[in-house]
Amino acid sequence: MSVPPAAVAVIVPAHQEGASLPATLHSLRAAARHPEAAAVPVLVVVVADACTDGTAAVAQDAGALVVRESFRNVGRARASGARAALRRLAAYGEGLWLATTDADTVVPPRWLAHQLRHAGQGWECVVGTVRLAPHPPLSAATAARHDAHYFAQRPPGRGTWRHPHVHGANLGVAAGAYTAAGGFPPLAHSEDRALVAALDRAGRRVLRTDGCPVLTSGRGDSRAPHGFGSFLGALGGM
């Protein structure tokens, strides 16, 4: 994709996220209103996966496209959201940009503008980073251990950090590259890493950047087995 995308779909998989989802959706609305993104149509797709709480109602009330599934599988949920977006925005063809985040994550106001700018520079995938939000069970010691591990390879000063991380909470990919790579695989965890690995193998232009981190929950009760919350729990001190 060598020109700025003509439309954006934001995919948000959610399992029992009625309490945290409003903050996520509020942040996405702010990102869609950013001056550098406001001219581009933005569709938010919430995949309510095996939800028995108010997740779907919260998403619908916020104007999101709601896809109800019963997978209990984050890879299948993200893929379902992407399929729904590709169908709904089919008129945009390869001019569609697919962004993904999580239902316990708050994106900064320039998040979509950041991805759109890099897409306009020819990048076909933007792989971002996260920061931990305070969460009552998260101890200072666990947060410190996380940061020591997470930033271990970051260069000192203000040098560019082509980081090694992949987060579905902060990811964007051109629709054509996504489709050619086979999309998100049906994995219970690490579906985001598998997609980026497929893009790398295909020789796609993948940018790893710490330029626009998102704020993600520091909770240890992971919604996905072996997901980020499980990693925090394994660090101890929770």
Side-chain angles (χ1 to χ4, degrees):
M1 183 176 290
S2 59
V3 296
V8 176
V10 184
I11 314 303
V12 187
H15 171 65
Q16 306 290 64
E17 295 284 13
S20 62
L21 185 58
T24 301
L25 296 176
H26 178 77
S27 72
L28 290 174
R29 286 194 295 272
R33 292 194 298 266
H34 189 281
E36 296 176 31
V40 178
V42 176
L43 173 69
V44 176
V45 182
V46 174
V47 184
D49 185 17
C51 294
T52 58
D53 66 348
T55 295
V58 167
Q60 192 165 22
D61 289 347
L65 172 63
V66 180
V67 179
R68 292 175 172 84
E69 301 287 11
S70 57
F71 300 136
R72 193 62 179 93
N73 178 291
V74 67
R76 295 180 69 185
R78 276 197 218 278
S80 176
R83 285 193 300 271
L86 289 165
R87 287 194 301 268
R88 179 65 65 93
L89 301 175
Y92 293 97
E94 294 193 5
L96 176 62
W97 182 262
L98 300 173
T100 79
T101 191
D102 288 338
D104 64 344
T105 296
V106 171
V107 307
R110 64 188 183 92
W111 185 63
L112 290 176
H114 168 82
Q115 292 197 15
L116 290 171
R117 184 175 72 254
H118 288 302
Q121 295 169 352
W123 295 100
E124 296 173 284
C125 180
V126 177
V127 185
T129 54
V130 302
R131 299 294 186 271
L132 285 181
H135 199 267
L138 179 70
S139 70
T142 298
R145 282 193 288 271
H146 166 269
D147 288 352
H149 176 273
Y150 195 83
F151 298 111
Q153 298 180 33
R154 185 169 64 175
R158 296 181 178 273
T160 300
W161 184 31
R162 302 302 187 198
H163 64 86
H165 309 293
V166 179
H167 303 282
N170 192 356
L171 186 64
V173 59
Y178 173 86
T179 302
F184 287 109
L187 301 176
H189 62 88
S190 303
E191 79 293 341
D192 41 12
R193 289 183 175 275
L195 173 62
V196 172
L199 293 168
D200 281 332
R201 288 194 300 271
R204 298 289 185 171
R205 295 196 68 203
V206 177
L207 174 66
R208 293 172 176 268
T209 173
D210 188 41
C212 192
V214 301
L215 193 63
T216 198
S217 172
R219 68 190 183 193
D221 56 330
S222 178
R223 296 297 193 268
H226 308 289
F228 189 63
S230 295
F231 170 69
L232 288 177
L235 288 176
M238 301 285 292

